[in-house]
Amino acid sequence: MVSGMQVSQRTEINVEILRRDGSEAKPYRQHFRIPYRPGMNVISVLMEIQVNPVTADGKTVAPVVWDCSCLEEVCGACSMFICGRPRQACSALIDQLPDPIILEPLHKFPVVRDLVVDRQVMFDNLKRVKAWIHIDGTYPIGSGPRMNEKIREKMYAISKCMTCGCCLSVCPQVNDRSAFVGAAPIAQVRLFNAHPTGSYMKSERLDALLEDGGVAACGNAQNCVRACPKQVPLAESIADVGMQTTLRAAKRFLFG
Ligand code: SF4
């Protein structure tokens, strides 16, 4: 590692990448050295390696594979571990990173190849908790009911979730032995349950979270809060939804 002063004077960038040639292949590390240009981010570093896939010891290798789309920290596709922290490669500026820059695929998700992971489980969990408002679009229904401004403001913070998966990648409860849905889907339940139109499916969402892997599986480590690049109020949302599921369970017990 080098200090901030040394980093700003660098003429080249050292990059260490944890690679894997396929989902069943053994992982290995490769070191690249590329010329420094001001204003680079991790995506531009990866593009340099793609154009000239030669390791620091001069070996020509297969180009490194990664995912990206919006390049403005909105889609979450380029999420990966950068120097030990889950974040988006598009917003990770080289001038703010130590040397060497260590890139690893997002933890907890199956690796497809190199830095590409399969985040399908997160989308499956959003389906599992019905994180949507069901509108079939076949006829105009006019504008929806107005939300209380204070609630709207709180829910806006949750609506910023981009399904990047960073919160799941640091959660000790997300593992092979657990069906835990993770923080992001739970926060989305809070969002859609608070919506005047979405609330008609509130019971179904809470029933899903009363099942195995639901809100009770959260261990309250709160790593998700520190990892979320959008500052989604995850711990607060899990607590809120935990309360909603308790009330739902009591209602089911009393009234069937
Ligand atoms: Fe990413 Fe935050 Fe959404 Fe989790 S809650 S998926 S960390 S944006």
Side-chain angles (χ1 to χ4, degrees):
M1 300 265 173
V2 295
S3 71
M5 174 67 82
Q6 286 168 304
V7 166
S8 64
Q9 290 168 350
R10 73 201 337 170
T11 55
E12 56 184 22
I13 304 165
N14 289 290
V15 194
E16 185 186 306
I17 304 179
L18 182 63
R19 304 194 61 180
R20 196 184 279 201
D21 297 340
S23 53
E24 303 300 325
K26 264 180 91 171
Y28 60 95
R29 291 184 185 268
Q30 244 165 18
H31 179 193
F32 297 88
R33 192 173 297 129
I34 62 161
Y36 169 84
R37 285 195 321 272
M40 290 178 97
N41 61 8
V42 168
I43 294 288
S44 48
V45 164
L46 287 167
M47 288 168 96
E48 285 286 337
I49 295 171
Q50 188 180 45
V51 170
N52 185 27
V54 178
T55 60
D57 55 6
K59 206 167 117 198
T60 300
V61 294
V64 177
V65 178
W66 78 95
D67 251 346
C68 68
S69 181
C70 74
L71 300 182
E72 52 182 358
E73 209 187 74
V74 172
C75 74
C78 66
S79 301
M80 60 184 72
F81 266 67
I82 300 173
C83 301
R85 197 184 126 203
R87 56 184 301 189
Q88 286 65 54
C90 62
S91 54
L93 302 178
I94 298 309
D95 287 344
Q96 295 168 3
L97 293 172
D99 191 282
I101 294 167
I102 298 170
L103 306 180
E104 294 175 1
L106 209 53
H107 300 177
K108 307 286 176 103
F109 294 95
V111 175
V112 177
R113 182 168 182 162
D114 293 339
L115 300 168
V116 177
V117 296
D118 181 356
R119 291 180 296 153
Q120 185 60 40
V121 66
M122 198 167 41
F123 300 105
D124 290 343
N125 284 335
L126 286 169
K127 284 189 208 160
R128 186 173 151 193
V129 300
K130 298 185 167 51
W132 63 77
I133 294 174
H134 191 76
I135 297 170
D136 71 6
T138 53
Y139 59 95
I141 56 171
S143 49
R146 283 187 79 84
M147 285 178 86
N148 171 290
E149 180 55 20
K150 279 213 166 83
I151 298 174
R152 186 208 59 77
E153 203 177 317
K154 273 194 170 198
M155 294 310 128
Y156 177 67
I158 303 175
S159 74
K160 289 195 283 183
C161 174
M162 56 180 169
T163 333
C164 65
C166 290
C167 54
L168 274 73
S169 74
V170 293
C171 177
Q173 301 303 107
V174 174
N175 57 59
D176 295 346
R177 302 170 306 284
S178 157
F180 183 44
V181 294
I186 296 174
Q188 294 307 300
V189 166
R190 184 183 183 206
L191 171 68
F192 289 108
N193 281 2
H195 191 277
T197 310
S199 62
Y200 78 99
M201 277 165 67
K202 183 173 177 175
S203 307
E204 288 175 59
R205 293 191 196 100
L206 296 176
D207 285 345
L209 284 181
L210 280 166
E211 289 169 10
D212 182 35
V215 72
C218 171
N220 202 24
Q222 301 201 12
N223 294 355
C224 54
V225 178
R226 290 181 283 277
C228 178
K230 295 295 178 188
Q231 290 83 45
V232 174
L234 293 168
E236 183 190 304
S237 297
I238 291 170
D240 183 287
V241 173
M243 187 82 78
Q244 291 185 40
T245 50
T246 304
L247 293 174
R248 172 71 186 152
K251 203 169 158 190
R252 276 189 356 193
F253 179 73
L254 292 172
F255 307 110

